[in-house]
Amino acid sequence: MPRRDLPPPPPPAHLREWLDESVVRADRARSLAELVRHNLGIERLLLLWAVAAVFALGWSFVGMSLMAFEDGGTRARALGLVFAALAAGVLVSGGIWFGRGARLDRRIRRLQCAWAASDRDPAADRRLRAPGRSLAWLLSSLALGALGLRVTFGAAAGTRPGEGAYAELVLTMGLGLILWVTALLGLGKAGAHYRWALCALRSAGPATSHGPATSHGSPASYGRATTSGPRISPGEPARRSASTGRPPRASGTRSRSSGPAV
């Protein structure tokens, strides 16, 4: 799978404090947009299908090898060995290609999460959800999965006992399984991007600003009163007790002239 240049990771937090905020947000928006194109572009979908075609070719060689061994002749067995060697080479090449693509996907996902957590820009993040591309991956994968299921179950239902029937069944069901697994990978990519857009971009949204707390014991109440008695609003005359005519006492203090409050 061809390797494409990806954006660099975001600068560390202690360096971003010295940079211009508008420059940091512009780099973040540009890098995330490029990463989304790398992840959900039409080229990645075609590359996924190309890997599936390589696996289908390798499995076709496996099926032809089985058919050749079922014939039982010396020449057929030699041809079966050739087909088996070709199948091994093609399948190993497809596995290496698939592994490179999986590592690239993990690298893209790490960069996406790092850039999304580096700053907050809700206006630019709305464009990163890419609903059209996600829908294209979703619909194409559903169609491919339906085709794979039809091939698999159709082959199982239409097989009749006879010479070469089992090799043909293995070949057809293997091809259908490859189509079905490719569809699951496409659905997983579309779902992973949707989940990332909901979680990562929402967590990087603007923080909700709350007003100063005014409850008792909160920072806004420090310095207002040092006692636990009732508070007196500024500009309002102090209320006096109806029985003694004195101002209310703070908690923890006792008067020597008055008795206990009734």
Side-chain angles (χ1 to χ4, degrees):
M1 183 173 294
R3 191 183 185 92
R4 300 180 61 182
D5 294 333
L6 297 177
H14 66 277
L15 293 181
R16 290 197 301 267
E17 296 177 356
W18 297 92
L19 300 176
D20 188 5
E21 185 179 357
S22 60
V23 175
V24 174
R25 288 191 175 184
D27 290 342
R28 177 181 179 272
R30 182 172 56 254
S31 299
L32 284 176
E34 187 175 355
L35 289 171
V36 170
R37 286 195 300 269
H38 277 290
N39 193 31
L40 290 181
I42 187 64
E43 297 178 0
R44 295 305 303 275
L45 181 61
L46 294 178
L47 285 174
L48 177 63
W49 290 356
V51 173
V54 171
F55 277 106
L57 178 62
W59 193 256
S60 299
F61 285 134
V62 171
M64 289 187 290
S65 176
L66 292 177
M67 292 178 184
F69 279 114
E70 280 189 353
D71 289 342
T74 304
R75 183 177 300 178
R77 290 181 179 178
L79 189 61
L81 291 176
V82 173
F83 284 143
L86 290 175
V90 173
L91 290 177
V92 170
S93 301
I96 294 174
W97 205 6
F98 179 79
R100 290 179 178 177
R103 287 194 297 269
L104 182 60
D105 285 340
R106 288 195 298 268
R107 185 182 174 188
I108 290 175
R109 180 54 53 86
R110 287 195 297 265
L111 288 174
Q112 280 183 334
C113 294
W115 276 108
S118 63
D119 201 353
R120 301 180 178 184
D121 193 0
D125 291 344
R126 295 190 188 98
R127 297 189 294 268
L128 299 175
R129 298 179 180 178
R133 295 178 181 179
S134 300
L135 184 62
W137 276 77
L138 181 66
L139 294 180
S140 59
S141 299
L142 287 176
L144 192 64
L147 178 61
L149 291 176
R150 181 178 179 181
V151 170
T152 302
F153 289 106
T159 301
R160 298 291 182 270
E163 185 177 357
Y166 297 106
E168 184 178 356
L169 176 63
V170 170
L171 172 62
T172 308
M173 292 191 67
L175 294 177
L177 183 62
I178 290 173
L179 294 176
W180 186 57
V181 172
T182 305
L184 289 180
L185 291 175
L187 292 174
K189 183 179 283 291
H193 177 77
Y194 180 75
R195 186 171 61 253
W196 170 80
L198 287 183
C199 298
L201 298 182
R202 180 180 297 178
S203 62
T208 305
S209 60
H210 300 281
T214 57
S215 61
H216 181 65
S218 61
S221 64
Y222 291 161
R224 291 187 181 178
T226 58
T227 63
S228 58
R231 303 181 201 173
I232 302 175
S233 302
E236 179 183 353
R239 298 179 181 177
R240 300 181 178 274
S241 173
S243 59
T244 62
R246 300 189 183 94
R249 296 184 302 274
S251 62
T253 61
R254 299 183 61 181
S255 174
R256 297 179 180 178
S257 60
S258 61
V262 181

